[in-house]
Amino acid sequence: MKPQTEKLAFLFLLVILLFDSWSFVDSDLASDRIALEALRKAVGGRSLLWNLSNSPCSWVGVFCERDRVVGLRLPAMGLSGQLPIALGNLTQLQTLSLRFNALSGPIPADIGSLASLRNLYLQENFFSGEISGFLFNLQNLVRLDLAHNNFSGEISPSFNNLTRLRTLYLEENQLNGSIPDLNFPSLDQFNVSYNKLIGAVPQRLSGRPATAFEGNSLCGKPLIPCNGTSNGNDKLSGGAIAGIAIGCVIGFLLILMILIFLCKRKRTKQGVAKDTQERKQSETEIARENVVADRGTASTGIASAAAVAKSESKRGGGTKNLVFFGNTSRVFDLEDLLRASAEVLGKGTFGTTYKATLEVGVAVAVKRLKDVTVTEKEFRGKIESVGKINHENLVPLKAYYYNKDEKLLVYDYMPMGSLSALLHGNSAAGRTPLNWETRSGIALGAARGITHLHSQGPTISHGNIKSSNILLTNSFEARVSDFGLANLAGPTPTPNRIDGYRAPEVTDARKISQKADVYSFGVLLLELLTGRAPTHSHLNDEGVDLPRWVQSVVKDEWTSEVFDLELLRYQNVEEDMVQLLQLAINCTAQYPDNRPSMEEVRNQIEQLCSHGGDTHQDIEDEKSSQQTYSIDSGAPPP
């Protein structure tokens, strides 16, 4: 009986140990839960819709291993306020990402107790105060990004305690003093630009690019030498000074003579031009008064344009009516546009677009072009070529009008508006989210339309692809608009890149290649996937465009963070989303030769849409809405 008694005692002891182990695990996860709930209560955020009845490991942005929280990734969640003293309880945390929020105040001291922390991303917030010494206790820290905040004080030499550090970003803060002699054996990413730093760049950092130090009062390699002064031999001689003075006097006299000549010439022309201008203004004002009398309201945009057009045609200055294309039904003319009620739909690169509701009840979209520099013959030739292009995913050009003062284009009116308005125009709680099927369908329709454009010839391109030029039917089918207009406008030797769509090699808006169209379409795909508008995103305020931001996130962190939160509600689409993301990254390659053709892009999207599973999941399903899908199976950066 003794051996049997010993066996029973051993089994009893084993059961007790197992229960203690489970209790210990539950206790640890419970501690993590308390810390996360404290964070949620302190900083809120539009997306922290955590179901508190579920395990923290199922919450959005929370990643676990062996029932412990090891990752907390909440970028661009609209978090605000100050971080609570609670995160230190996440004792197994390896990655903390709170970037692109509106958090303020100091970093809580208990973060210094996160011994396992390897990645700390706090950039693009409003954190302030000095960089506290407790950060230097994080011996395992590999990535530290505190850029674009309001940190002040000096850069501490104690940074050298972080011997494993490979990334240190401190740019765009209020740091002052000199840069200490930092010695990081493995450092491969470093930036302290745009602070208030002074003095010499330390020798160990002299091999870094100059952009890592710009915006400060620093000197030394790679910047200007610290002892750079001019010697006495640089002073100008007396003869040189006299020569410069004489040259200035002669130049002034020449300029004065030219001005006198131009003034006399202007007076001669004024008398001739005055009568012509007064007559033109009189006729235009009469036409505008007729509009007010007929309609009772002044549609000052399209009505004024049509009035000027009518006035010009009466004097023989242009075509007397609209020029229609193909089999377009001619149910209206220039007089009908003159009497139509109008509202502004938007102001774009090439002019203002109006919705004109005719008296017969038909609505059309009328674009009033601006800055057209080509001759009448060139204009008619180019526009008639555009009018001949017909495809189900292109907005057809119905008619046009031309004279020297007004150029009008008439299109079908799309009541659902643009993709830009659908993605960014309404963020109210009652808004219907765009599911994966709708977004991928829009991408496919737009790709088909642009591919058809490119098939018209190797030199044919769109030139202005962006989400506001992707219009939608009532069934959310994409129609590409504004094609063929880029080569009508004047040259832009220094193109504005704020819109975020233009390819880096483009220097003239009139000369955009098909590969530049591919780049713009790639940005459009990223906009669909991320939900971010490159035209007004805070990402590009400092020159960081949407493609570079996406590539940095994919490289440094988990791929899932780039996707619009609405897409994370739907199951079984992770692989398709990643495939479309990779295609968008390929389209936005820096060099044109590395980008695919639009035909290849269309084919890949068609394949992706053809094998996609059922993505219609109830968006009100609370369980689905609270679940985050780990798309990238790789670990955080080492």
Side-chain angles (χ1 to χ4, degrees), residues 234-296:
D234 294 334
K235 295 181 179 179
L236 294 175
S237 64
I241 294 174
I244 293 173
I246 294 172
C248 290
V249 172
I250 295 174
F252 174 77
L253 293 175
L254 286 174
I255 293 173
L256 185 62
M257 293 173 63
I258 292 172
L259 289 175
I260 293 172
F261 173 76
L262 291 176
C263 288
K264 289 183 177 179
R265 187 178 179 183
K266 183 177 180 181
R267 288 196 191 98
T268 304
K269 288 187 175 182
Q270 274 184 336
V272 178
K274 184 175 182 181
D275 293 338
T276 303
Q277 182 66 22
E278 288 178 351
R279 184 172 68 253
K280 180 177 176 180
Q281 289 179 348
S282 176
E283 292 178 359
T284 301
E285 290 302 322
I286 291 173
R288 290 180 179 174
E289 290 172 5
N290 289 337
V291 175
V292 177
D294 289 344
R295 300 296 300 169

Side-chain angles (χ1 to χ4, degrees), residues 92-112:
Q92 300 301 310
L93 195 66
Q94 297 177 21
T95 296
L96 176 60
S97 176
L98 300 174
R99 54 197 173 83
F100 296 109
N101 284 292
L103 299 170
S104 58
I107 301 175
D110 63 333
I111 287 182

Side-chain angles (χ1 to χ4, degrees), residues 500-515:
Y501 295 92
R502 185 162 293 176
E505 73 275 9
V506 175
T507 57
D508 190 336
R510 301 173 303 170
K511 300 176 181 178
I512 293 183
S513 67
Q514 292 185 352
K515 286 300 182 74

Side-chain angles (χ1 to χ4, degrees), residues 466-535:
K466 54 185 178 181
S467 59
S468 58
N469 283 337
I470 307 299
L471 306 184
L472 303 171
T473 67
N474 288 327
S475 56
F476 294 99
E477 295 177 358
R479 299 285 188 271
V480 181
S481 68
D482 263 23
F483 55 90
L485 304 185
N487 53 6
L488 298 177
T492 55
T494 55
N496 186 354
R497 301 189 186 280
I498 295 177
D499 63 5
Y501 295 92
R502 185 162 293 176
E505 73 275 9
V506 175
T507 57
D508 190 336
R510 301 173 303 170
K511 300 176 181 178
I512 293 183
S513 67
Q514 292 185 352
K515 286 300 182 74
D517 274 354
V518 172
Y519 182 94
S520 300
F521 184 76
V523 177
L524 178 70
L525 291 180
L526 294 177
E527 188 173 358
L528 270 169
L529 291 168
T530 65
R532 297 176 180 272
T535 52

